[in-house]
Amino acid sequence: MLGKFICVLLLASAMLIHDIPKVKAASKRDRFVYIAMLAPLLYLAVIFLIAKPWPSLDMIFNLFTEPAKLFIRWLNPLHT
């Protein structure tokens, strides 16, 4: 777990060192979008660190595959 923590800490530090000057100069809307994008990354980092079977992005996306297949089948003119 210590190795995972160090890995996440190094990656997050590198990302923030690169992004903080740009975020400071950004508009409020851009800051909000940046924070909204960081939220799932933080969640996935926590899942990675604690190794719990919590829902991941793959599980969430898999919920939409069946409706997407139905929609594609409905749009496909060859499939009647």
Side-chain angles (χ1 to χ4, degrees), residues 65-78:
T65 46
E66 198 58 39
K69 287 178 184 177
L70 289 172
F71 186 69
I72 296 296
R73 195 175 313 138
W74 178 66
L75 289 176
N76 189 356
L78 300 176

PDB file of all heavy atoms in Angstrom, residues 65-78:
ATOM      1  N   THR A  65     -24.253  -0.226 -21.667  1.00  0.00           N
ATOM      2  CA  THR A  65     -24.003  -0.981 -22.894  1.00  0.00           C
ATOM      3  C   THR A  65     -25.262  -1.622 -23.450  1.00  0.00           C
ATOM      4  O   THR A  65     -25.465  -1.617 -24.662  1.00  0.00           O
ATOM      5  CB  THR A  65     -22.930  -2.062 -22.683  1.00  0.00           C
ATOM      6  OG1 THR A  65     -23.197  -2.760 -21.486  1.00  0.00           O
ATOM      7  CG2 THR A  65     -21.555  -1.493 -22.679  1.00  0.00           C
ATOM      8  N   GLU A  66     -26.099  -2.177 -22.606  1.00  0.00           N
ATOM      9  CA  GLU A  66     -27.314  -2.818 -23.115  1.00  0.00           C
ATOM     10  C   GLU A  66     -28.268  -1.816 -23.748  1.00  0.00           C
ATOM     11  O   GLU A  66     -28.754  -2.058 -24.854  1.00  0.00           O
ATOM     12  CB  GLU A  66     -28.006  -3.609 -21.999  1.00  0.00           C
ATOM     13  CG  GLU A  66     -28.997  -4.621 -22.511  1.00  0.00           C
ATOM     14  CD  GLU A  66     -28.370  -5.639 -23.465  1.00  0.00           C
ATOM     15  OE1 GLU A  66     -27.235  -6.064 -23.232  1.00  0.00           O
ATOM     16  OE2 GLU A  66     -29.046  -5.981 -24.454  1.00  0.00           O
ATOM     17  N   PRO A  67     -28.550  -0.664 -23.110  1.00  0.00           N
ATOM     18  CA  PRO A  67     -29.391   0.328 -23.809  1.00  0.00           C
ATOM     19  C   PRO A  67     -28.750   0.830 -25.091  1.00  0.00           C
ATOM     20  O   PRO A  67     -29.446   1.083 -26.074  1.00  0.00           O
ATOM     21  CB  PRO A  67     -29.534   1.457 -22.788  1.00  0.00           C
ATOM     22  CG  PRO A  67     -29.294   0.830 -21.476  1.00  0.00           C
ATOM     23  CD  PRO A  67     -28.328  -0.280 -21.725  1.00  0.00           C
ATOM     24  N   ALA A  68     -27.422   0.937 -25.117  1.00  0.00           N
ATOM     25  CA  ALA A  68     -26.749   1.385 -26.335  1.00  0.00           C
ATOM     26  C   ALA A  68     -26.909   0.350 -27.445  1.00  0.00           C
ATOM     27  O   ALA A  68     -27.140   0.706 -28.606  1.00  0.00           O
ATOM     28  CB  ALA A  68     -25.271   1.646 -26.059  1.00  0.00           C
ATOM     29  N   LYS A  69     -26.799  -0.931 -27.111  1.00  0.00           N
ATOM     30  CA  LYS A  69     -26.995  -1.983 -28.111  1.00  0.00           C
ATOM     31  C   LYS A  69     -28.419  -1.954 -28.661  1.00  0.00           C
ATOM     32  O   LYS A  69     -28.621  -2.139 -29.865  1.00  0.00           O
ATOM     33  CB  LYS A  69     -26.696  -3.349 -27.509  1.00  0.00           C
ATOM     34  CG  LYS A  69     -25.233  -3.605 -27.276  1.00  0.00           C
ATOM     35  CD  LYS A  69     -25.021  -4.955 -26.630  1.00  0.00           C
ATOM     36  CE  LYS A  69     -23.563  -5.182 -26.297  1.00  0.00           C
ATOM     37  NZ  LYS A  69     -23.347  -6.446 -25.599  1.00  0.00           N
ATOM     38  N   LEU A  70     -29.389  -1.738 -27.803  1.00  0.00           N
ATOM     39  CA  LEU A  70     -30.773  -1.638 -28.268  1.00  0.00           C
ATOM     40  C   LEU A  70     -30.954  -0.449 -29.198  1.00  0.00           C
ATOM     41  O   LEU A  70     -31.644  -0.547 -30.220  1.00  0.00           O
ATOM     42  CB  LEU A  70     -31.724  -1.517 -27.070  1.00  0.00           C
ATOM     43  CG  LEU A  70     -31.898  -2.761 -26.222  1.00  0.00           C
ATOM     44  CD1 LEU A  70     -32.717  -2.431 -24.970  1.00  0.00           C
ATOM     45  CD2 LEU A  70     -32.549  -3.866 -27.021  1.00  0.00           C
ATOM     46  N   PHE A  71     -30.343   0.658 -28.872  1.00  0.00           N
ATOM     47  CA  PHE A  71     -30.451   1.852 -29.698  1.00  0.00           C
ATOM     48  C   PHE A  71     -29.801   1.626 -31.061  1.00  0.00           C
ATOM     49  O   PHE A  71     -30.369   1.993 -32.101  1.00  0.00           O
ATOM     50  CB  PHE A  71     -29.797   3.037 -28.972  1.00  0.00           C
ATOM     51  CG  PHE A  71     -29.975   4.347 -29.671  1.00  0.00           C
ATOM     52  CD1 PHE A  71     -31.211   4.955 -29.747  1.00  0.00           C
ATOM     53  CD2 PHE A  71     -28.891   4.972 -30.264  1.00  0.00           C
ATOM     54  CE1 PHE A  71     -31.382   6.157 -30.389  1.00  0.00           C
ATOM     55  CE2 PHE A  71     -29.043   6.184 -30.909  1.00  0.00           C
ATOM     56  CZ  PHE A  71     -30.287   6.776 -30.975  1.00  0.00           C
ATOM     57  N   ILE A  72     -28.635   0.999 -31.078  1.00  0.00           N
ATOM     58  CA  ILE A  72     -27.944   0.705 -32.339  1.00  0.00           C
ATOM     59  C   ILE A  72     -28.781  -0.260 -33.175  1.00  0.00           C
ATOM     60  O   ILE A  72     -28.924  -0.091 -34.389  1.00  0.00           O
ATOM     61  CB  ILE A  72     -26.538   0.121 -32.074  1.00  0.00           C
ATOM     62  CG1 ILE A  72     -25.652   1.142 -31.376  1.00  0.00           C
ATOM     63  CG2 ILE A  72     -25.895  -0.373 -33.353  1.00  0.00           C
ATOM     64  CD1 ILE A  72     -25.364   2.378 -32.179  1.00  0.00           C
ATOM     65  N   ARG A  73     -29.366  -1.271 -32.539  1.00  0.00           N
ATOM     66  CA  ARG A  73     -30.211  -2.217 -33.251  1.00  0.00           C
ATOM     67  C   ARG A  73     -31.432  -1.511 -33.835  1.00  0.00           C
ATOM     68  O   ARG A  73     -31.861  -1.805 -34.946  1.00  0.00           O
ATOM     69  CB  ARG A  73     -30.649  -3.345 -32.305  1.00  0.00           C
ATOM     70  CG  ARG A  73     -31.225  -4.531 -33.049  1.00  0.00           C
ATOM     71  CD  ARG A  73     -31.553  -5.704 -32.131  1.00  0.00           C
ATOM     72  NE  ARG A  73     -30.477  -5.999 -31.205  1.00  0.00           N
ATOM     73  CZ  ARG A  73     -30.701  -6.286 -29.917  1.00  0.00           C
ATOM     74  NH1 ARG A  73     -31.903  -6.318 -29.431  1.00  0.00           N
ATOM     75  NH2 ARG A  73     -29.685  -6.552 -29.128  1.00  0.00           N
ATOM     76  N   TRP A  74     -31.962  -0.573 -33.092  1.00  0.00           N
ATOM     77  CA  TRP A  74     -33.134   0.187 -33.572  1.00  0.00           C
ATOM     78  C   TRP A  74     -32.780   1.057 -34.770  1.00  0.00           C
ATOM     79  O   TRP A  74     -33.578   1.216 -35.688  1.00  0.00           O
ATOM     80  CB  TRP A  74     -33.670   1.043 -32.422  1.00  0.00           C
ATOM     81  CG  TRP A  74     -34.816   1.896 -32.770  1.00  0.00           C
ATOM     82  CD1 TRP A  74     -36.063   1.482 -33.116  1.00  0.00           C
ATOM     83  CD2 TRP A  74     -34.836   3.316 -32.806  1.00  0.00           C
ATOM     84  NE1 TRP A  74     -36.866   2.555 -33.358  1.00  0.00           N
ATOM     85  CE2 TRP A  74     -36.136   3.711 -33.182  1.00  0.00           C
ATOM     86  CE3 TRP A  74     -33.901   4.310 -32.557  1.00  0.00           C
ATOM     87  CZ2 TRP A  74     -36.496   5.042 -33.322  1.00  0.00           C
ATOM     88  CZ3 TRP A  74     -34.259   5.617 -32.681  1.00  0.00           C
ATOM     89  CH2 TRP A  74     -35.547   5.976 -33.058  1.00  0.00           C
ATOM     90  N   LEU A  75     -31.561   1.623 -34.776  1.00  0.00           N
ATOM     91  CA  LEU A  75     -31.139   2.496 -35.881  1.00  0.00           C
ATOM     92  C   LEU A  75     -30.644   1.730 -37.105  1.00  0.00           C
ATOM     93  O   LEU A  75     -30.623   2.275 -38.202  1.00  0.00           O
ATOM     94  CB  LEU A  75     -30.010   3.422 -35.412  1.00  0.00           C
ATOM     95  CG  LEU A  75     -30.408   4.522 -34.438  1.00  0.00           C
ATOM     96  CD1 LEU A  75     -29.178   5.276 -34.002  1.00  0.00           C
ATOM     97  CD2 LEU A  75     -31.419   5.458 -35.054  1.00  0.00           C
ATOM     98  N   ASN A  76     -30.243   0.485 -36.933  1.00  0.00           N
ATOM     99  CA  ASN A  76     -29.670  -0.290 -38.023  1.00  0.00           C
ATOM    100  C   ASN A  76     -30.764  -0.711 -39.002  1.00  0.00           C
ATOM    101  O   ASN A  76     -31.664  -1.470 -38.652  1.00  0.00           O
ATOM    102  CB  ASN A  76     -28.964  -1.519 -37.474  1.00  0.00           C
ATOM    103  CG  ASN A  76     -28.162  -2.259 -38.521  1.00  0.00           C
ATOM    104  OD1 ASN A  76     -28.187  -1.908 -39.690  1.00  0.00           O
ATOM    105  ND2 ASN A  76     -27.447  -3.282 -38.069  1.00  0.00           N
ATOM    106  N   PRO A  77     -30.717  -0.258 -40.255  1.00  0.00           N
ATOM    107  CA  PRO A  77     -31.766  -0.594 -41.211  1.00  0.00           C
ATOM    108  C   PRO A  77     -31.691  -2.052 -41.676  1.00  0.00           C
ATOM    109  O   PRO A  77     -32.678  -2.598 -42.164  1.00  0.00           O
ATOM    110  CB  PRO A  77     -31.534   0.356 -42.387  1.00  0.00           C
ATOM    111  CG  PRO A  77     -30.093   0.721 -42.285  1.00  0.00           C
ATOM    112  CD  PRO A  77     -29.748   0.666 -40.824  1.00  0.00           C
ATOM    113  N   LEU A  78     -30.535  -2.691 -41.536  1.00  0.00           N
ATOM    114  CA  LEU A  78     -30.401  -4.090 -41.965  1.00  0.00           C
ATOM    115  C   LEU A  78     -30.960  -5.066 -40.947  1.00  0.00           C
ATOM    116  O   LEU A  78     -31.205  -6.219 -41.264  1.00  0.00           O
ATOM    117  CB  LEU A  78     -28.928  -4.405 -42.234  1.00  0.00           C
ATOM    118  CG  LEU A  78     -28.259  -3.555 -43.325  1.00  0.00           C
ATOM    119  CD1 LEU A  78     -26.794  -3.906 -43.425  1.00  0.00           C
ATOM    120  CD2 LEU A  78     -28.971  -3.746 -44.644  1.00  0.00           C
TER     121      LEU A  78
END
